[in-house]
Amino acid sequence: VIDSCGMNSPVRSNLPEEFGIEKEVARNEKITIYRAFFNKASDEAVEAKFKVMLFAGGELGVNWIASEDDHTDLLMGRFEDFTLEDVEKFSDFLRQTNPRLGTEIIRGGQFVEIPVRQPLSVMVADGYAAIGDSAFMTVPLIGSGIANCLKASRVLANAVIADKNQSFTAETLWKYQQGYYKELGAGLAPLACGKLLLLSLTPEEVDYVMDNGILNEDLMTIGADFTGLGSMNIDPRALINQAKQVCQDPELLKKIIACGVRMGKAVAACAMMPKKYNAKRVRSWAKVYEFVYK
């Protein structure tokens, strides 16, 4: 069974306990998204063609509005449930400063949930392999994951093809988990620590990191071009300047140091993953890996 039934997969959530596979997703491990393309109500120019808002209206989440030539793209994302009434209220608020945002939805208009967390600790069992959102393969900081799933499908196919006896046991499918973590998972896991840091910031701390260049537009968009810590291209001089700014806020510094420690534990946990499948060893390792994010 190849389980690509999504974040709330009924397959994964009903697996036997002895498989040792996580079933539930915590609320801070998923973000609820509303996205719709609205008609263009005006040709009037806007201050910013693409605008990202954090903590809009005091709500924990991210929002964007993109004014395109023939429509306006609106996204709302929150770490709690919200309703269409909330969407309409926020849209009316945005129309006060963005006259291009119309009232007619020409595409989209649905609520969806996206996993933004570390990859699944155990992805395989006898006759079972999870992939895609069911294995939490999205980039934790931005929620995109289609490319990761396509790469994972090749790793899974190779593991299946290599099983000449077609037994498809946890032992033979473990090559899939090993290959995925080597190629992608070990880089994504520490990024989930960064997401937890962002969720811990207060609105005042968000203002501080933005006003002082600690978090800028380059860092906010860099997530679209990398899949792990190893592929980040960081300017050492900019990093030193950002560190100086952070040191001026003791509470923020504590949170960032704690995040760094957590990231180190995540990297170490991934490196400790058993090379070969042994049910007892895998379960013990999974507990260590999962504890990093508690």
Side-chain angles (χ1 to χ4, degrees):
V1 174
I2 298 176
D3 176 7
S4 60
C5 295
M7 180 183 67
N8 298 313
S9 168
V11 182
R12 193 188 70 252
S13 61
N14 283 286
L15 291 174
E17 291 293 337
E18 55 265 29
F19 281 11
I21 295 177
E22 293 176 87
K23 297 182 179 183
E24 304 299 327
V25 183
R27 192 62 187 90
N28 70 342
E29 295 180 335
K30 60 184 178 181
I31 187 169
T32 300
I33 297 290
Y34 175 88
R35 189 178 186 185
F37 291 177
F38 288 85
N39 68 308
K40 184 178 68 172
S42 168
D43 290 324
E44 187 175 336
V46 293
E47 179 185 357
K49 181 179 179 182
F50 184 68
K51 189 173 184 179
V52 177
M53 293 152 280
L54 304 175
F55 283 99
E59 299 291 343
L60 186 60
V62 61
N63 306 270
W64 81 47
I65 181 168
S67 301
E68 304 293 352
D69 293 336
D70 57 353
H71 66 273
T72 299
D73 178 3
L74 174 66
L75 177 142
M76 293 177 62
R78 295 183 182 176
F79 285 90
E80 60 181 24
D81 297 335
F82 60 105
T83 66
L84 196 56
E85 183 179 350
D86 297 317
V87 174
E88 293 171 350
K89 185 183 300 184
F90 186 63
S91 301
D92 288 339
F93 168 75
L94 292 175
R95 291 186 182 101
Q96 296 176 25
T97 55
N98 192 319
R100 295 174 66 95
L101 179 59
T103 57
E104 178 188 350
I105 296 176
I106 56 179
R107 191 164 188 173
Q110 293 92 20
F111 290 92
V112 297
E113 289 184 327
I114 299 174
V116 280
R117 51 155 281 165
Q118 66 281 4
L120 192 64
S121 55
V122 181
M123 300 179 181
V124 301
D126 289 342
Y128 174 88
I131 198 169
D133 279 6
S134 187
F136 316 131
M137 292 181 171
T138 57
V139 180
L141 290 174
I142 59 175
S144 65
I146 293 175
N148 293 345
C149 184
L150 291 172
K151 292 175 182 177
S153 67
R154 167 50 59 191
V155 179
L156 176 56
N158 288 340
V160 170
I161 292 169
D163 187 355
K164 302 301 182 182
N165 296 323
Q166 298 186 355
S167 57
F168 309 131
T169 61
E171 287 83 355
T172 59
L173 292 172
W174 189 248
K175 291 180 180 178
Y176 157 57
Q177 171 149 342
Q178 272 282 326
Y180 176 76
Y181 265 85
K182 182 178 180 180
E183 185 170 341
L184 291 166
L188 294 174
L191 297 181
C193 304
K195 184 221 69 176
L196 291 172
L197 168 64
L198 292 177
L199 289 184
S200 74
L201 298 181
T202 65
E204 293 75 21
E205 287 170 335
V206 171
D207 287 342
Y208 181 82
V209 298
M210 295 293 288
D211 292 342
N212 290 280
I214 300 167
L215 179 62
N216 53 38
E217 63 183 60
D218 291 333
L219 287 174
M220 289 182 70
T221 58
I222 195 173
D225 302 317
F226 71 93
T227 55
L229 288 178
S231 57
M232 291 178 67
N233 184 20
I234 299 175
D235 183 352
R237 290 170 299 179
L239 189 63
I240 291 173
N241 182 60
Q242 290 162 350
K244 289 179 179 178
Q245 297 294 335
V246 168
C247 289
Q248 295 180 27
D249 187 320
E251 290 303 315
L252 180 61
L253 179 61
K254 287 180 184 178
K255 291 182 180 181
I256 292 179
I257 290 175
C259 176
V261 172
R262 192 193 292 261
M263 280 186 168
K265 291 180 179 179
V267 171
C270 290
M272 291 167 55
M273 181 186 294
K275 297 292 186 289
K276 294 184 179 180
Y277 184 86
N278 173 283
K280 186 175 180 179
R281 288 181 58 207
V282 166
R283 187 165 297 186
S284 296
W285 170 81
K287 288 181 179 179
V288 172
Y289 173 85
E290 292 165 13
F291 185 74
V292 172
Y293 303 95
K294 299 299 182 185

